[in-house]
Amino acid sequence: MYSTVREALFGDEDIYAGFPLQEYPLDRHTWGGTDPIFGRLIAEVRPSRIIEAGTWRGWSAITMARACREHNVDCREIVCVDTWLGAGTHLVKEPDGTVIPSPMRTALNRRFGYPRIYDQFLANVIHTGCHDLIVPFAAPTNMAGSVLRTIGLQAELIYLDADHSYESVATDLRSFWPLLAPGGVFMAHDYATGFPGCRLAIDEFSEAHGLTRYVERAWCLLVK
Ligand SMILES: C[S@@+](CC[C@H](N)C(=O)[O-])C[C@H]1O[C@@H](n2cnc3c(N)ncnc32)[C@H](O)[C@@H]1O
């Protein structure tokens, strides 16, 4: 039985050791990851563990780590699940040849054809001094969810901000909900910001489980 996900994934290894930080200046690109909603939730829920699915360059996790410090929350770890490969829409050109949101395409930082967002994520975490709390779990959400359920550790706060398609959100809800501790909060991004599939999956899941949806701007919160 493991006491942390960090221990289960990495044992004694310090995965941040030796990272060439000088090659990666702090980068601030995020999708809502610095919003005050995170601080407020952390202060209310006081989670001992947080699981995030969809991390990108780390800002939602960094904001949560900072909030834990600010509010003296005894959080042991923030587990960040991401492939660090971006979304399919970042990878290809539109049929008419236009490049899809170029900052995101550039952000993939492909080297020899393979995205290296993970390096910038690690750099941001180290630059902000959050590496004691943030634990990367580089895997697709369905794989990570299955491993986390096997490890058997729950979290009081789960943040879902990965693939926003109906199929993925529906699968991620089913996969990560069992990882939420009783009384915990499941927070999903982009409920009300132009992702109808994401919204439909959350509506169906919450209705099937008799859960109230607390909608706050782009976020939807479900309480277990
Ligand atoms: C919207 S971004 C996350 C933004 C981040 N929370 C922030 O505050 O900036 C979505 C992330 O989900 C990841 N992602 C997409 N589909 C995934 C999947 N099936 N499994 C794991 N990660 C996935 C992408 O690599 C991307 O980094």
Side-chain angles (χ1 to χ4, degrees):
M1 182 70 186
Y2 296 107
S3 57
T4 61
V5 175
R6 183 193 297 265
E7 182 193 358
L9 293 179
F10 302 117
D12 291 334
E13 183 188 351
D14 176 2
I15 55 114
Y16 293 99
F19 182 80
L21 194 58
Q22 67 285 354
E23 294 175 24
Y24 299 88
L26 185 70
D27 166 290
R28 296 187 183 277
H29 182 264
T30 176
W31 282 282
T34 53
D35 194 275
I37 194 171
F38 292 101
R40 206 200 68 224
L41 263 183
I42 298 281
E44 281 174 18
V45 178
R46 306 193 71 78
S48 67
R49 175 173 296 102
I50 299 169
I51 297 173
E52 171 175 272
T55 294
W56 189 238
R57 296 193 231 176
W59 282 101
S60 40
I62 290 167
T63 302
M64 290 192 276
R66 286 173 161 171
C68 287
R69 292 208 183 106
E70 188 189 334
H71 298 289
N72 288 317
V73 172
D74 191 13
C75 182
R76 304 188 72 178
E77 57 185 354
I78 302 175
V79 179
C80 292
V81 175
D82 202 304
T83 54
W84 282 283
L85 295 175
T89 48
H90 301 163
L91 298 175
V92 292
K93 292 184 177 181
E94 294 277 19
D96 68 1
T98 52
V99 174
I100 297 175
S102 58
M104 294 168 213
R105 230 171 118 80
T106 310
L108 291 174
N109 186 22
R110 287 189 278 194
R111 235 185 281 163
F112 305 107
Y114 198 84
R116 300 299 309 178
I117 310 167
Y118 181 73
D119 295 347
Q120 188 62 55
F121 154 76
L122 282 186
N124 287 346
V125 170
I126 301 170
H127 277 301
T128 53
C130 295
H131 46 295
D132 56 333
L133 263 185
I134 292 181
V135 181
F137 190 165
T141 48
N142 57 352
M143 183 195 291
S146 159
V147 171
L148 289 169
R149 291 195 304 279
T150 305
I151 292 170
L153 295 172
Q154 291 194 312
E156 292 83 7
L157 181 60
I158 295 183
Y159 184 41
L160 178 61
D161 190 18
D163 183 335
H164 292 3
S165 66
Y166 170 80
E167 292 75 13
S168 285
V169 175
T171 306
D172 290 345
L173 279 162
R174 278 197 303 275
S175 179
F176 284 81
W177 186 256
L179 298 168
L180 188 65
V185 174
F186 194 106
M187 179 187 188
H189 194 209
D190 289 320
Y191 176 77
T193 50
F195 291 93
C198 174
R199 185 179 187 130
L200 178 62
I202 293 169
D203 286 350
E204 286 182 357
F205 184 86
S206 53
E207 276 154 32
H209 290 78
L211 300 164
T212 303
R213 293 185 293 277
Y214 300 95
V215 179
E216 189 172 330
R217 294 171 289 126
W219 289 272
C220 180
L221 312 181
L222 306 173
V223 180
K224 195 167 189 178

